[in-house]
Amino acid sequence: MPGPDASAPPPRIQIQRPSPLVDCGRYAAKACVGDAVPVEADIFRDGHDVLRAIVRWRRAGERRWREAPMVRTDAHLDGDRWAGEIAVDACGRHEVTIEAWTDRFASWHDEVRRKVAADQPDLAGELSEGAVLLEAARERASGEDAALIAHALRALTDAEVPQQAKLDAVLGAELLAAVERHPDRQHLTRLAAPLPLDVERPRARFGAWYELFPRSWGGFKGVEKHLDRFAELGFDVLYFPPIHPIGRRNRKGKNNALKAGRNDPGSPWAIGNREEGGHEAIHPELGTFEDFDRLVAAARERDIEIALDFAIQCSADHPWLTEHPEWFQHRPDGTLKYAENPPKRYQDIYNVDWDCEDWPGLWDALLGIVRHWVAHGVKVFRVDNPHTKPFGFWEWLIAEIHRDDPDVVFLAEAFTRRKVMQALAKLGFSQSYTYFTWKNGRHELSEYVSELANTEERFYFRPNFFANTPDILTSYLATGGQPAFEARLVLAATLSPSYGIYSGYESSESVPVRPDSEEYLNSEKYEVKRRRLDGALLPMIARLNAVRREHPALQRVEGVTFLDTHNDGLVAYAKQQAGDTVLCVVNLDPHNANEGVAVVPAHLGLAPSFAVEDVLGGERYDWRIGPNYVRLAPGERQAHVLAVVR
Amino acid sequence: MPGPDASAPPPRIQIQRPSPLVDCGRYAAKACVGDAVPVEADIFRDGHDVLRAIVRWRRAGERRWREAPMVRTDAHLDGDRWAGEIAVDACGRHEVTIEAWTDRFASWHDEVRRKVAADQPDLAGELSEGAVLLEAARERASGEDAALIAHALRALTDAEVPQQAKLDAVLGAELLAAVERHPDRQHLTRLAAPLPLDVERPRARFGAWYELFPRSWGGFKGVEKHLDRFAELGFDVLYFPPIHPIGRRNRKGKNNALKAGRNDPGSPWAIGNREEGGHEAIHPELGTFEDFDRLVAAARERDIEIALDFAIQCSADHPWLTEHPEWFQHRPDGTLKYAENPPKRYQDIYNVDWDCEDWPGLWDALLGIVRHWVAHGVKVFRVDNPHTKPFGFWEWLIAEIHRDDPDVVFLAEAFTRRKVMQALAKLGFSQSYTYFTWKNGRHELSEYVSELANTEERFYFRPNFFANTPDILTSYLATGGQPAFEARLVLAATLSPSYGIYSGYESSESVPVRPDSEEYLNSEKYEVKRRRLDGALLPMIARLNAVRREHPALQRVEGVTFLDTHNDGLVAYAKQQAGDTVLCVVNLDPHNANEGVAVVPAHLGLAPSFAVEDVLGGERYDWRIGPNYVRLAPGERQAHVLAVVR
């Protein structure tokens, strides 16, 4: 550390515990275009001098920094936490730093003011200090401020002017403000290293997803015919499982049978065959590239995006197995390893060998696949099982894509241990699947959502609450009938800014292949369905999606407060953002009516009594701080989504 | 980040959130010689392979690293937190790192075992992989392990041996253990930067302090006569306010009077005069350097240390004011600034000017003062108001001293904002004064001590709970009589491994200069007393100090659990360490008896019922998990300190 050998003493001001900071800056925090990002730090120095601090930011590579003031937020608690807000308006990596300096004139001003208040008689020495400070301030200032400062300075240095008049001249608030407008930042202290911040477009945070197998909708042309309806329903993203040719060898049959029948289409995740191609090809039965491009464009006209699945695995017929055998793992006896996690075996799938000698060639080829689809207008990718591939690969791939296309959104489909899911989010995935599907009780929902909203995870982990997926039909849904689907829909759509459903949810499809299995009977993964948009839940979905767009409170995971209900069958929460408040109460029991209260705490800042409107049904109620009676019955009404009337 | 241009792919294993880590490694965590320091991290990789991890450490500058295994501590929760322990046995800066690697043989072993369990028939490919792994293991191994591995390898590669016999040969636990003893660490992942750890001697953490003004005890010779008694009482440190010559100009009189009487001795903190010298001199009335050296040596023979006060401030007569006027702040009109914090003025004290041009000369001179007293055997310094001096100065000074004398202990006397106190601890102060003096209620004690014991602060902030000081006679003590002194003594001595009292505490001296002032009437700061060791609390003090030495539970701030009492007049807590449990119950009300319970929770790991012995009175009681009745009455008994009988 610097000692007497150094050319200057170490800085007097400490800037500690800056936020947002992820793993000491090893990873970037996340934000979206349009956000006002809070930046905080502990800022203090020895002694009693007055400090000033600002936050500065720029896009990486830009020369000019922008800046905003920071203020001490906990002065009333005698604390040292300072905060400011930065406005980000472009995608890409940003740098954020904090600067602080001692405000010598304000410190002097404060000291002299206190001495005057204490009736200290002789302040000639103090006034001689003030003259030096004002002289310097006058040189920094210009225009009216400079004139004001010069005026005070003349009074201060004129031997004819009595001390009281001198004090009157220099202790005014106007002079202080004039000097403050021209701060002396010569000896400022800066954060040791800038905080990295990755800015993405708002869709990375907020959106309603619908997952569909295009082969069940008449291919790309069939999907295109439904676009107007999807737009009416308020969906932002249509996500397709892999659209590539499907392998023939070891193809799985209906209900995951080891042997496929002659007409079985196979799982879309068994990617590639010799005749039709691999990850950069389209399954001929879905349409042509022309059809695909037209679909993407037509969707975009309706503000809908087509999201593709990026699944790094190959069927036994994938062209890479013959073109690049060096990218696959062979045993010493020459046999090729298929995917397995004993006792499970995935004989229709071969994983690439991340430890192979030509890993650079493999990485480049995989990057090429993503670039290929980006070139076809795909800006959202759902990545299959990223946690079974190297973290370093993803960090590199996402950064490479974002360098040219910072608007590409990556969703991590990892259902695994918490730290692993967090690591994927840290390294760059825009959003992530979650444990939401398995949180059905009041306390586990409250605990999980509160963690996402309030812990350090909020800086980098953006949830996407899928209510079901082709792999996940929970027993709650399988046994709860339509009321269960209503409850989970409301929870997903109001607790998470991004949420999704998979085809059939709107019709409360709920027959598992076996009791206690999360697989669907006659799963669409292994057969073609004839899908239509006619489920009973569609009006509720359309209403929820519209409400989500109207209410900022529903567009962020932060700002959630769980409320006492005096009944564990009811979960209640307030969502708040930018003056907007939505109160939700959901009956978690799909079989029985539940009554209780929603206790609105005073700290939410609502009026003692206030009007709410149920945005699902349109009813108005009078609510108040404290307990509010609620009764919800399956078949009648499963949930309240109550907007506080402003 | 590394991409295909790199010579090797980035490491597969992630090591995240290592602990202990203070401000991302900007500051060192603390430990003491003899500690087993827990080191933790999240360690994981993609996929399902088996990992191994170790923690390695060395003194800075040493070449050889020592190492200890880490184990996954939350495997039962499907977590990824690994922990190990390092044993530190020398003072000074240490480096700690973590290494992890994929255990390829154990991964293979696990995979094949699961396939055998699932009755997979043909494992020829798997066995061919095993042969390669075992061949490499045999080359790493030696002695019996090599022989065992070679034996298995022969079975594996012999075409005559049937598959079942091959599997029997390679899946045994003995073979696995033999291979594990010779791990293949070729592709290990290491923490990006080592964790810094400062190791001090145990006195930095644990000790009983007694503060005395030697001028009130007959100078150094008088103190020396009391050493045997102090040793009997169990004190480890005798701390002296400044022992230097005292200024004459602007000397303060009795009770802080602006004008001193002719015989007033002045405050020891107004350091230095022209005739007798400054910070490196001794006040002639206390004795000579010979007397001082003899006292220090005599104390050391009794395992007692003399601690000096390091107060960087000068009286108006300090030699530096004339020898080094450039180290003091002069106003533009030539006047010299004395210490002040309006409306308070300290006209007998001048602060050095940290912003002066010759700051290197000033820093060196101050370092010289500390070195001077270290050369006279002083290894403990209580530093006066360090928060009004630059943080960078202290970080440099402490590091400079510790380079040659890592056994020097610095106590920060800073009563200021939390972040500032934490910053001083982080930069190197061994221990710190605290807010303990003003925490008299059950909840505030529980909150404060739990924060010190359980938050990140425990890595670097070591408390010293002074029950009183010459500046702090709290209203609790001033109005509570001897029961108040008993309560606070027990709290200080059992809640903090370091604690202290200032002369007179043992006699319950409690007359303030004014009602509601924390200053003593006729403060010893401004006059000489005639002190004797005859206070009524001395037997209790001696007993507590003895108990503290016997019980590891009382030697660390960690391991404290506050217990329900069903009465806020009683505070109860368990202290636990290394199998040792001490249960304390203190009546916080010095005026009234209080009855209630101490609820012992099951998670403390005690037997359903157990015997305790009151180490203050010797009584035995039968206690149990759950509520235990307690009644404490002023004048009878103010506190229980109950050792669980093992």
Side-chain angles (χ1 to χ4, degrees):
Chain A
M1 68 219 59
D5 310 329
S7 61
R12 297 291 279 270
I13 298 178
Q14 304 290 310
I15 306 179
Q16 299 190 353
R17 298 201 312 131
S19 161
L21 183 71
V22 180
D23 283 21
C24 296
R26 166 66 181 83
Y27 301 102
K30 292 191 171 84
C32 288
V33 168
D35 283 357
V37 185
V39 176
E40 299 187 4
D42 297 338
I43 304 177
F44 52 91
R45 61 160 283 169
D46 55 289
H48 307 281
D49 283 331
V50 177
L51 302 186
R52 294 274 177 265
I54 54 170
V55 53
R56 310 182 79 199
W57 71 102
R58 65 178 178 190
R59 261 195 85 174
E62 281 179 357
R63 268 188 55 202
R64 228 188 102 260
W65 292 85
R66 297 161 68 186
E67 67 180 53
M70 297 184 80
V71 294
R72 194 172 155 200
T73 55
D74 52 2
H76 59 294
L77 300 173
D78 209 19
D80 293 287
R81 194 73 179 163
W82 292 61
E85 251 179 23
I86 70 171
V88 286
D89 51 17
C91 285
R93 173 64 56 99
H94 283 63
E95 297 175 323
V96 181
T97 190
I98 294 170
E99 292 178 355
W101 62 90
T102 304
D103 187 333
R104 291 183 62 211
F105 183 75
S107 302
W108 174 86
H109 194 271
D110 177 61
E111 183 192 327
V112 175
R113 203 184 37 73
R114 286 190 284 157
K115 286 181 178 178
V116 168
D119 285 328
Q120 265 177 248
D122 178 16
L123 297 173
E126 284 76 2
L127 290 172
S128 72
E129 290 179 301
V132 173
L133 293 169
L134 278 181
E135 178 62 43
R138 192 185 55 76
E139 282 172 27
R140 291 193 303 273
S142 56
E144 279 182 39
D145 288 342
L148 191 68
I149 295 167
H151 177 76
L153 197 52
R154 274 191 299 275
L156 205 53
T157 51
D158 185 341
E160 303 293 304
V161 176
Q163 174 169 305
Q164 188 53 51
K166 286 182 158 78
L167 288 169
D168 290 345
V170 296
L171 288 188
E174 274 184 35
L175 178 68
L176 181 60
V179 177
E180 294 300 286
R181 278 189 288 273
H182 308 278
D184 175 13
R185 299 186 185 175
Q186 254 189 304
H187 301 286
L188 60 78
T189 302
R190 184 177 294 136
L191 215 53
L195 313 174
L197 180 75
D198 274 343
V199 180
E200 293 176 272
R201 58 192 172 110
R203 183 67 65 234
R205 185 190 70 241
F206 174 64
W209 291 49
Y210 189 90
E211 173 173 2
L212 64 87
F213 287 71
R215 67 186 181 189
S216 297
W217 298 71
F220 300 147
K221 285 184 179 163
V223 174
E224 197 180 331
K225 285 183 198 143
H226 287 85
L227 282 178
D228 283 328
R229 182 73 180 121
F230 279 120
E232 275 171 28
L233 291 170
F235 284 105
D236 303 297
V237 180
L238 296 186
Y239 149 53
F240 297 170
I243 58 170
H244 317 301
I246 295 172
R248 297 179 211 284
R249 263 195 291 168
N250 299 328
R251 177 178 286 189
K252 296 284 178 85
K254 277 195 179 195
N255 287 310
N256 203 20
L258 266 180
K259 279 215 154 60
R262 205 158 51 91
N263 294 322
D264 282 343
S267 160
W269 283 276
I271 295 170
N273 64 41
R274 287 200 202 143
E275 300 74 24
E276 298 155 352
H279 283 76
E280 299 188 5
I282 288 176
H283 196 301
E285 289 178 10
L286 297 179
T288 63
F289 267 100
E290 207 184 342
D291 298 333
F292 181 76
D293 293 346
R294 201 179 49 236
L295 170 63
V296 169
R300 183 172 302 130
E301 278 170 26
R302 291 160 179 85
D303 282 329
I304 291 176
E305 299 198 51
I306 303 300
L308 288 192
D309 197 305
F310 184 42
I312 304 182
Q313 53 199 25
C314 298
S315 84
D317 303 319
H318 194 285
W320 280 7
L321 282 168
T322 44
E323 293 165 16
H324 292 287
E326 72 278 14
W327 292 349
F328 295 86
Q329 195 177 347
H330 295 78
R331 294 213 175 75
D333 70 349
T335 54
L336 188 63
K337 284 181 97 153
Y338 54 75
E340 55 185 340
N341 181 13
K344 289 192 202 162
R345 295 194 269 180
Y346 308 95
Q347 295 98 331
D348 59 340
I349 287 173
Y350 289 83
N351 286 325
V352 300
D353 180 11
W354 297 99
D355 293 322
C356 72
E357 215 166 295
D358 183 33
W359 63 272
L362 173 63
W363 285 30
D364 274 332
L366 292 166
L367 175 64
I369 292 170
V370 179
R371 283 207 206 283
H372 170 80
W373 292 106
V374 170
H376 280 281
V378 177
K379 298 291 181 128
V380 183
F381 292 88
R382 177 267 201 194
V383 177
D384 192 77
N385 281 318
H387 58 295
T388 59
K389 286 89 189 171
F391 296 101
F393 166 73
W394 293 120
E395 189 173 15
W396 169 81
L397 178 123
I398 294 171
E400 285 292 308
I401 292 293
H402 277 172
R403 206 170 42 188
D404 296 331
D405 298 284
D407 56 342
V408 175
V409 170
F410 291 93
L411 164 63
E413 188 257 356
F415 295 105
T416 179
R417 308 190 307 280
R418 189 75 170 259
K419 301 284 171 58
V420 175
M421 293 176 67
Q422 290 173 338
L424 291 165
K426 287 180 196 172
L427 65 79
F429 278 92
S430 316
Q431 52 176 243
S432 310
Y433 281 68
T434 69
Y435 303 147
F436 166 71
T437 337
W438 301 283
K439 306 281 184 191
N440 293 296
R442 178 182 165 221
H443 293 289
E444 62 188 359
L445 275 167
S446 157
E447 180 189 43
Y448 185 56
V449 173
S450 298
E451 281 175 15
L452 294 175
N454 302 325
T455 67
E456 201 202 59
E457 221 168 341
R458 74 187 187 280
F459 295 142
Y460 62 85
F461 188 96
R462 298 199 193 98
N464 190 332
F465 279 8
F466 264 81
N468 70 328
T469 80
D471 296 315
I472 309 176
L473 169 67
T474 62
S475 66
Y476 182 89
L477 293 177
T479 60
Q482 184 172 320
F485 282 76
E486 290 172 357
R488 298 296 298 174
L489 175 69
V490 171
L491 291 170
T494 58
L495 282 173
S496 178
S498 288
Y499 88 104
I501 56 173
Y502 151 62
S503 301
Y505 192 93
E506 67 274 15
S507 315
S508 305
E509 281 183 12
S510 58
V511 186
V513 65
R514 289 180 306 278
D516 298 329
S517 168
E518 293 197 340
E519 290 285 335
Y520 284 88
L521 177 67
N522 301 328
S523 168
E524 197 171 2
K525 290 189 283 187
Y526 310 106
E527 57 192 272
V528 178
K529 305 273 181 187
R530 299 220 58 82
R531 290 287 189 187
R532 287 186 304 185
L533 269 174
D534 57 2
L537 288 181
L538 291 176
M540 190 186 217
I541 290 169
R543 193 71 205 106
L544 279 169
N545 285 343
V547 168
R548 284 163 44 86
R549 291 180 183 179
E550 288 158 20
H551 285 276
L554 301 178
Q555 296 171 11
R556 290 178 190 275
V557 71
E558 297 98 322
V560 63
T561 307
F562 283 84
L563 312 180
D564 278 349
T565 55
H566 298 185
N567 176 351
D568 283 348
L570 298 175
V571 66
Y573 44 93
K575 299 269 306 188
Q576 295 190 296
Q577 205 66 237
D580 177 38
T581 301
V582 177
L583 299 160
C584 302
V585 191
V586 181
N587 179 7
L588 298 172
D589 185 340
H591 305 293
N592 301 292
N594 268 285
E595 58 184 338
V597 291
V599 182
V600 177
H603 68 74
L604 294 186
L606 299 171
S609 66
F610 52 89
V612 296
E613 180 184 333
D614 194 314
V615 296
L616 296 180
E619 302 87 343
R620 286 217 169 196
Y621 305 97
D622 289 321
W623 273 42
R624 59 187 173 95
I625 305 290
N628 297 275
Y629 175 79
V630 178
R631 181 178 184 278
L632 293 166
E636 292 170 23
R637 185 200 299 272
Q638 198 66 23
H640 281 303
V641 178
L642 304 166
V644 174
V645 178
R646 279 175 287 187
Chain B
M1 68 220 58
D5 310 329
S7 61
R12 296 291 278 270
I13 298 177
Q14 303 291 308
I15 306 178
Q16 299 190 351
R17 298 202 313 131
S19 162
L21 183 70
V22 180
D23 284 19
C24 297
R26 167 65 182 82
Y27 300 103
K30 293 191 172 84
C32 289
V33 169
D35 283 357
V37 185
V39 176
E40 300 187 5
D42 297 339
I43 304 177
F44 52 90
R45 60 161 282 169
D46 55 287
H48 308 280
D49 284 330
V50 177
L51 303 186
R52 295 274 177 265
I54 53 169
V55 52
R56 310 182 78 199
W57 71 102
R58 65 180 178 188
R59 260 196 87 173
E62 281 180 356
R63 269 189 51 200
R64 228 188 99 260
W65 292 86
R66 297 161 68 187
E67 67 179 54
M70 297 184 80
V71 293
R72 192 171 156 201
T73 56
D74 53 2
H76 59 295
L77 300 173
D78 208 19
D80 293 286
R81 195 72 179 161
W82 292 62
E85 252 179 21
I86 69 171
V88 286
D89 51 16
C91 285
R93 173 64 55 100
H94 283 63
E95 297 174 324
V96 181
T97 191
I98 293 169
E99 293 177 354
W101 63 90
T102 304
D103 187 332
R104 291 182 62 208
F105 183 75
S107 302
W108 174 87
H109 194 271
D110 177 58
E111 184 193 326
V112 175
R113 201 182 39 69
R114 285 190 285 157
K115 286 181 178 177
V116 169
D119 286 328
Q120 265 177 248
D122 179 15
L123 297 173
E126 284 76 1
L127 291 172
S128 74
E129 290 179 301
V132 174
L133 293 169
L134 278 180
E135 178 61 43
R138 192 185 56 75
E139 281 172 27
R140 292 193 304 273
S142 55
E144 281 182 37
D145 288 342
L148 192 68
I149 295 168
H151 177 75
L153 197 52
R154 275 193 298 275
L156 205 52
T157 49
D158 185 343
E160 303 293 304
V161 176
Q163 174 168 303
Q164 187 53 51
K166 286 181 160 63
L167 288 169
D168 290 346
V170 295
L171 288 187
E174 273 184 36
L175 178 68
L176 181 61
V179 177
E180 293 302 284
R181 278 190 287 272
H182 308 278
D184 175 13
R185 299 187 187 176
Q186 256 189 309
H187 300 285
L188 61 78
T189 302
R190 185 178 293 136
L191 215 52
L195 312 174
L197 180 75
D198 273 344
V199 181
E200 293 176 273
R201 58 194 172 106
R203 183 67 66 234
R205 185 188 71 240
F206 174 66
W209 291 50
Y210 188 89
E211 173 172 3
L212 64 87
F213 287 71
R215 67 186 182 189
S216 297
W217 298 73
F220 299 147
K221 285 185 179 161
V223 174
E224 197 180 329
K225 286 183 196 140
H226 286 86
L227 282 178
D228 283 328
R229 183 71 181 122
F230 279 118
E232 275 170 28
L233 290 170
F235 284 105
D236 303 296
V237 179
L238 297 185
Y239 149 53
F240 298 171
I243 59 170
H244 318 300
I246 296 172
R248 297 178 211 285
R249 263 196 291 168
N250 299 328
R251 176 178 287 188
K252 296 284 177 87
K254 277 195 179 191
N255 287 310
N256 203 22
L258 267 179
K259 278 211 155 55
R262 204 156 52 90
N263 293 322
D264 282 343
S267 160
W269 282 276
I271 296 171
N273 64 41
R274 290 205 196 134
E275 301 74 24
E276 297 156 354
H279 283 78
E280 299 190 4
I282 287 175
H283 195 302
E285 289 178 9
L286 298 179
T288 63
F289 268 100
E290 206 182 342
D291 298 333
F292 181 76
D293 294 345
R294 199 176 53 235
L295 170 63
V296 169
R300 184 173 302 131
E301 278 170 24
R302 291 160 180 85
D303 282 327
I304 292 176
E305 300 197 51
I306 303 300
L308 289 192
D309 197 304
F310 184 42
I312 304 182
Q313 55 198 27
C314 299
S315 84
D317 302 319
H318 194 287
W320 281 6
L321 282 168
T322 45
E323 293 166 14
H324 291 286
E326 71 278 15
W327 292 348
F328 296 86
Q329 194 176 349
H330 295 76
R331 293 213 174 76
D333 70 348
T335 53
L336 190 64
K337 284 181 98 153
Y338 52 75
E340 55 185 339
N341 182 15
K344 290 192 201 161
R345 295 193 273 179
Y346 309 95
Q347 297 96 331
D348 59 340
I349 287 174
Y350 291 83
N351 287 324
V352 298
D353 179 11
W354 297 100
D355 292 322
C356 73
E357 214 166 295
D358 185 34
W359 63 272
L362 173 63
W363 285 29
D364 273 332
L366 292 166
L367 175 63
I369 292 170
V370 179
R371 285 207 205 282
H372 170 81
W373 292 107
V374 170
H376 281 281
V378 177
K379 300 289 180 128
V380 183
F381 293 88
R382 178 267 200 194
V383 177
D384 192 75
N385 281 318
H387 58 294
T388 60
K389 287 90 189 168
F391 297 102
F393 166 74
W394 293 121
E395 188 172 16
W396 168 80
L397 179 125
I398 294 171
E400 285 291 307
I401 293 293
H402 277 172
R403 206 171 41 189
D404 296 331
D405 298 285
D407 57 341
V408 175
V409 170
F410 292 92
L411 164 63
E413 188 255 357
F415 295 105
T416 181
R417 308 190 307 280
R418 188 76 171 260
K419 302 282 170 60
V420 175
M421 293 176 65
Q422 291 173 338
L424 291 164
K426 286 178 196 174
L427 65 80
F429 278 92
S430 316
Q431 53 177 243
S432 310
Y433 281 68
T434 69
Y435 302 147
F436 167 70
T437 337
W438 301 283
K439 306 281 184 191
N440 293 297
R442 179 184 163 217
H443 293 288
E444 62 189 359
L445 276 166
S446 158
E447 180 189 42
Y448 185 56
V449 173
S450 298
E451 281 175 17
L452 294 175
N454 302 325
T455 67
E456 201 203 60
E457 220 168 344
R458 73 187 189 279
F459 294 142
Y460 61 85
F461 187 96
R462 298 199 194 98
N464 190 332
F465 279 7
F466 265 80
N468 69 328
T469 80
D471 297 313
I472 309 176
L473 169 67
T474 61
S475 67
Y476 181 90
L477 293 176
T479 61
Q482 185 172 319
F485 282 77
E486 290 172 357
R488 299 294 300 173
L489 175 70
V490 171
L491 290 170
T494 57
L495 282 173
S496 177
S498 287
Y499 88 103
I501 57 173
Y502 150 62
S503 303
Y505 192 95
E506 67 275 15
S507 314
S508 306
E509 280 182 13
S510 57
V511 186
V513 66
R514 289 179 306 278
D516 298 328
S517 168
E518 293 197 339
E519 289 285 333
Y520 284 88
L521 177 66
N522 301 327
S523 168
E524 198 170 3
K525 289 188 284 185
Y526 310 107
E527 57 191 270
V528 177
K529 306 273 183 188
R530 300 219 58 83
R531 291 288 190 186
R532 287 187 305 189
L533 268 175
D534 57 2
L537 288 182
L538 290 176
M540 190 186 218
I541 290 169
R543 193 69 205 107
L544 278 169
N545 285 340
V547 167
R548 284 163 45 84
R549 291 180 182 178
E550 289 158 20
H551 286 275
L554 300 178
Q555 296 171 12
R556 292 179 189 274
V557 72
E558 299 98 320
V560 64
T561 307
F562 283 84
L563 312 181
D564 277 348
T565 55
H566 299 186
N567 176 351
D568 284 348
L570 298 174
V571 65
Y573 43 93
K575 299 269 306 187
Q576 294 190 298
Q577 205 66 236
D580 178 37
T581 301
V582 176
L583 299 160
C584 301
V585 191
V586 180
N587 179 7
L588 298 172
D589 185 342
H591 305 294
N592 301 292
N594 268 285
E595 58 185 339
V597 291
V599 183
V600 176
H603 68 74
L604 294 185
L606 298 171
S609 65
F610 52 90
V612 296
E613 180 183 332
D614 193 316
V615 295
L616 297 178
E619 302 86 342
R620 286 218 168 197
Y621 305 96
D622 290 320
W623 272 41
R624 59 188 173 95
I625 304 290
N628 296 275
Y629 176 78
V630 177
R631 182 178 185 279
L632 293 166
E636 292 170 22
R637 184 200 298 273
Q638 199 66 23
H640 281 304
V641 178
L642 305 166
V644 174
V645 178
R646 277 174 289 188

